Amino acid sequence: MTDANISGTALPAFDSIRAGDVESTIRGLIERNRGEVAVLESQPGPTFANTVLPLEQLSHRLSRTWSPISHLNGVLNSDELRASYNACLPLLSNYWTDLAQSEPLYRAYSAIAANENDRLDPAQRRVLQRALEDFRLAGVGLPRERKERYKTVVQELAQLGAKFEENVLDAMNAWTKHVADPAMLSGINPVIVEQARARAAEKNAEGWIFALEQPTYVSVLTDADSETLRRDFYEAWSTRASERGPSAGQFDNTAVMQKILALRHEAARLLDFPNYAAYALATRMAPSNQAVFDFLRQLARVARPAAAREFAELESFAGRKLNAWDVAYYAEKLQQKLFSITQEELRPYFPLPRVLDGLFDVAEKLFGVKIVERTGVPMYHADARFFEIRDPGGKVRAGFYLDACARPKKRAGAWMDDCVGRKDFGEITIPVAYLVCNFLPAGAGKPALLTHDDVVTMFHEFGHGLHHMLTRVGYPSIAGINGVSWDAVELPSQFLENFAWRPEVLATMARHFETNAPLPADKQAQLLGSRTFQAGLATMRQLEFALFDFRLHAEYDPAKGARVAEILAEVREEVGVFAVPEWNRFPHNFGHIFAGGYAAGYYSYKWAEVLAADAFAAFEEQGVFDSRVAQRFLDSILSQGGSRKALDAFIEFRGRAPDVNALLKQQGLTQ
Ligand SMILES: [Zn+2]
């Protein structure tokens, strides 16, 4: 067992976490917390110092103990860990709900707000304000039976979310594609073909066995010349965890989704909100359900003609009517024709180590930090690495784990998560993050080579990471991404994506992994020119997800049930650009809204993209590495966490409210 800390902040002892100990550890800690909460509840003369700070500390301790377990469940799933993880979910859910429903604590916080308000600084006032909001949103004032029911509902929702994820992961692991005919392999990335050959050899099978991992899926859909293969992969992917497709009925999320939507609606009604969407908006920037619908439909009006034009152009280029599994393939070919560039041919120019150097360079230039790898930290897998973020003076300010590449038993997608939050009272901790991606792993003698899409993803997640790690707020409940309105959370991430498109960044970052030659000027120009390629289609796709999600949660009617398929059909009718097969079951694996934090919140991507584009426009006006603009961005937005309202922070930075035109211009969608 190794023991490591970063600036005095203990890092998880990943090499000694045993699935068998997880439940007793968490159970024990929750009991300890409950005991300490009880003391605080009966404390006479509550003050910020004697009540709020200790409670911040208790929540912080539990979060950072649970965080590595939850992380492992996502990136190194096993039956044993899954069982322990699931056993802990109701314990945690009940603990958090009991805390938020505590009337003595609610009274204490109200009294502190009334008595001390003038003496507290703005961050402290915000801690109180957010906490009081959380008490109300957990039904603190409700009659006992309704409070109890709310608690049961929240607990069931936590378990259903985990079940949803399990079904998707199991469906992915259950499916492989055996290919015997080498002609079927035409077009696919050789690294992926080699992986498939090795997998077949392991099983003493002839030919190639492909797994349903994200890089393989993307590569096949984009590059495989065989339409049969593309269709097979599309079917397996888009029917994951449903009653259709190759694992039909085995991991079916149909009932899970219906139950989740019913319980969310019930939770909202218990708190006297008309529906879950309205409940979710209580802590968001968007003022009302109608404002969200208006926003999405306004974008749809602008993007639709462009999207229709783009799809017509694509079909005329292909010379045929396209099926859903042909779209990415022909889009790639068309992009190749228009810009003489493909994602695959860019890979050699984006070796992962070089991309990280380029990314860290951007953070260094903008915010004066230095990022250095540190070895000897306890790890859970040989792929994972650890980095420190240092201040200009060399002081360690934050740290992060990077787990960049795909492997079996790892959840698909890319995300940032909070390992330790910042706390600057009592026992001081600095922030630590997890950055997780699913890039194609290194091949024989080659580093992991990224597409430019992957590079953008890396920048995106690192933007979330900076939000968490560069925070100056010292109260965990509002530090970093905590307490930030969900529809503003994607601001730093989408903001940082812009730098992956800057010539001054590409000049040093994009280098051939063998020759170190820069990306040729014509290729770079073509890459930059391709940024707005099919922006209309991409926008309409995001709007389809966002409208579907928001309508599911805004229009739920207990008498009619969830109407998942019907609402999806209506949304496709409204904003779909091309037909998808009747058996496509994308809701069944839409983890963002059923298992992640995006319920009635998928619109946040577009909402925050407006903020991000408009914020980045301020950099373009002054020069993208202008230190004064960067400092203002850091001071007003990035370091502020949830210590102020997102709109106020934006206005302070930009001098005015956000303007949608910056985004339309960035995407070439202005008429
Ligand atoms: Zn994000």
Side-chain angles (χ1 to χ4, degrees):
M1 175 172 156
T2 45
D3 178 35
N5 72 76
I6 169 172
S7 255
T9 300
L11 294 169
F14 274 121
D15 49 355
S16 64
I17 294 178
R18 303 275 167 266
D21 303 334
V22 161
E23 192 185 339
S24 62
T25 304
I26 293 300
R27 198 179 279 279
L29 186 56
I30 288 178
E31 271 167 33
R32 215 174 122 195
N33 268 25
R34 283 188 184 276
E36 294 177 41
V37 168
V39 173
L40 295 171
E41 283 179 326
S42 56
Q43 177 164 259
T47 64
F48 195 87
N50 75 14
T51 302
V52 179
L53 291 185
L55 272 165
E56 287 274 318
Q57 163 64 25
L58 290 181
S59 300
H60 179 68
R61 182 173 73 191
L62 182 55
S63 298
R64 63 183 288 198
T65 308
W66 176 242
S67 162
I69 297 162
S70 163
H71 179 62
L72 287 180
N73 191 56
V75 298
L76 206 65
N77 199 273
S78 68
D79 290 345
E80 210 193 357
L81 181 61
R82 183 184 283 194
S84 309
Y85 176 87
N86 284 332
C88 291
L89 287 180
L91 304 176
L92 286 159
S93 168
N94 285 346
Y95 171 78
W96 292 119
T97 309
D98 284 341
L99 192 65
Q101 289 188 339
S102 161
E103 280 170 41
L105 288 179
Y106 179 59
R107 280 195 301 273
Y109 273 66
S110 306
I112 297 164
N115 300 336
E116 288 184 62
N117 214 25
D118 300 341
R119 274 170 282 146
L120 298 175
D121 67 33
Q124 293 170 326
R125 282 205 287 271
R126 185 79 181 141
V127 168
L128 284 177
Q129 195 185 4
R130 289 285 292 118
L132 287 169
E133 220 166 53
D134 285 346
F135 283 119
R136 286 179 215 120
L137 290 173
V140 70
L142 296 179
R144 207 170 62 85
E145 316 81 78
R146 275 170 82 181
K147 271 168 89 169
E148 275 304 310
R149 179 59 194 157
Y150 178 83
K151 185 169 145 190
T152 308
V153 166
V154 170
Q155 182 195 315
E156 275 184 54
L157 280 170
Q159 288 165 311
L160 287 164
K163 185 70 198 158
F164 186 94
E165 277 296 359
E166 284 174 12
N167 281 337
V168 175
L169 188 60
D170 290 347
M172 286 171 73
N173 285 325
W175 190 82
T176 52
K177 177 73 189 172
H178 190 184
V179 173
D181 176 7
M184 294 266 283
L185 305 174
S186 168
I188 306 172
N189 182 315
V191 176
I192 287 173
V193 173
E194 175 50 30
Q195 277 180 353
R197 196 203 52 75
R199 193 174 286 110
E202 247 170 54
K203 298 189 174 161
N204 294 317
E206 295 289 309
W208 299 264
I209 296 179
F210 291 91
L212 196 59
E213 286 168 11
Q214 194 168 330
T216 307
Y217 169 72
V218 173
S219 174
V220 168
L221 264 282
T222 316
D223 298 317
D225 295 321
S226 159
E227 183 176 344
T228 315
L229 197 62
R230 291 201 307 270
R231 191 200 176 281
D232 286 354
F233 265 86
Y234 177 86
E235 188 192 15
W237 187 264
S238 66
T239 58
R240 282 173 300 161
S242 78
E243 85 293 6
R244 299 296 294 261
S247 330
Q250 286 182 62
F251 315 102
D252 190 358
N253 268 333
T254 306
V256 180
M257 294 188 294
Q258 284 161 353
K259 190 93 190 139
I260 287 176
L261 291 166
L263 288 174
R264 281 181 185 155
H265 184 76
E266 187 184 346
R269 294 294 298 125
L270 282 167
L271 298 167
D272 289 325
F273 286 94
N275 48 62
Y276 185 84
Y279 163 77
L281 292 192
T283 53
R284 303 261 177 88
M285 233 177 125
S288 65
N289 287 9
Q290 195 54 49
V292 172
F293 282 126
D294 289 348
F295 170 72
L296 295 173
R297 290 184 167 127
Q298 175 198 359
L299 285 183
R301 269 194 303 279
V302 181
R304 173 192 297 287
R309 218 167 35 237
E310 289 159 9
F311 191 69
E313 182 191 23
L314 194 61
E315 284 203 322
S316 100
F317 166 72
R320 51 172 281 205
K321 194 135 182 55
L322 296 180
N323 293 306
W325 50 86
D326 299 320
V327 174
Y329 176 79
Y330 283 102
E332 182 70 8
K333 296 277 176 286
L334 177 58
Q335 189 168 4
Q336 197 174 347
K337 182 184 156 217
L338 295 175
F339 303 100
S340 329
I341 206 158
T342 66
Q343 288 290 331
E344 278 308 313
E345 76 178 291
L346 289 170
R347 276 190 200 269
Y349 291 94
F350 293 113
L352 178 61
R354 190 96 211 177
V355 170
L356 292 177
D357 285 346
L359 171 61
F360 298 166
D361 228 37
V362 168
E364 188 171 336
K365 277 196 193 129
L366 288 172
F367 308 118
V369 292
K370 187 118 192 97
I371 299 169
V372 184
E373 178 158 18
R374 188 172 140 192
T375 52
V377 167
M379 282 298 175
Y380 53 90
H381 193 279
D383 287 357
R385 299 163 68 185
F386 188 83
F387 296 84
E388 290 179 349
I389 298 193
R390 297 183 189 157
D391 269 341
K395 192 165 175 284
V396 179
R397 181 168 172 179
F400 62 92
Y401 296 83
L402 175 67
D403 187 344
C405 295
R407 63 172 173 267
K409 307 276 176 182
K410 178 173 169 182
R411 180 145 56 91
W415 66 92
M416 189 287 293
D417 208 352
D418 161 331
C419 173
V420 183
R422 185 164 187 271
K423 186 166 81 69
D424 71 354
F425 60 89
E427 176 219 353
I428 296 194
T429 57
I430 61 170
V432 180
Y434 307 109
L435 297 173
V436 184
C437 299
N438 269 284
F439 302 142
L440 186 59
K446 290 180 187 175
L449 299 173
L450 275 52
T451 63
H452 188 260
D453 288 346
D454 293 337
V455 174
V456 172
T457 298
M458 188 70 242
F459 275 62
H460 177 104
E461 299 309 333
F462 199 69
H464 285 306
L466 289 178
H467 199 188
H468 176 62
M469 294 187 284
L470 296 188
T471 192
R472 286 291 184 196
V473 178
Y475 304 107
S477 66
I478 56 163
I481 57 168
N482 291 337
V484 176
S485 292
W486 195 265
D487 43 11
V489 156
E490 297 293 335
L491 193 178
S493 52
Q494 302 190 102
F495 164 79
L496 207 68
E497 283 182 21
N498 288 292
F499 289 87
W501 293 98
R502 296 299 303 187
E504 51 277 66
V505 175
L506 290 168
T508 52
M509 178 172 73
R511 296 270 171 164
H512 197 280
F513 77 101
E514 286 167 328
T515 63
N516 204 32
L519 184 64
D522 56 331
K523 291 279 164 218
Q524 179 173 308
Q526 287 149 357
L527 170 65
L528 298 183
S530 72
R531 183 175 185 185
T532 55
F533 175 66
Q534 295 192 339
L537 281 169
T539 301
M540 293 306 277
R541 187 178 142 85
Q542 286 295 90
L543 293 176
E544 179 179 319
F545 294 165
L547 266 178
F548 169 64
D549 161 50
F550 209 74
R551 283 193 56 189
L552 275 185
H553 292 99
E555 296 172 15
Y556 186 89
D557 177 351
K560 293 184 188 153
R563 296 179 65 238
V564 174
E566 293 91 322
I567 290 182
L568 182 60
E570 288 168 21
V571 167
R572 283 185 172 150
E573 185 67 30
E574 183 181 350
V575 293
V577 181
F578 54 88
V580 295
E582 177 279 321
W583 42 260
N584 176 305
R585 289 291 181 273
F586 110 85
H588 290 70
N589 45 71
F590 195 11
H592 273 85
I593 69 162
F594 288 110
Y598 289 84
Y602 200 88
Y603 77 88
S604 301
Y605 281 105
K606 277 291 153 201
W607 188 274
E609 210 177 1
V610 170
L611 308 179
D614 200 3
F616 188 69
F619 283 75
E620 288 177 314
E621 288 156 19
Q622 302 297 322
V624 292
F625 288 111
D626 183 272
S627 58
R628 278 160 312 168
V629 183
Q631 189 63 43
R632 231 174 51 234
F633 184 72
L634 181 64
D635 292 344
S636 301
I637 296 178
L638 200 57
S639 67
Q640 291 291 337
S643 70
R644 58 205 309 197
K645 291 195 166 152
L647 183 61
D648 296 345
F650 186 91
I651 290 173
E652 181 182 286
F653 168 67
R654 201 66 171 106
R656 55 165 174 74
D659 178 356
V660 71
N661 284 305
L663 177 64
L664 299 179
K665 185 169 156 230
Q666 185 183 83
Q667 303 198 326
L669 291 174
T670 37
Q671 290 115 330

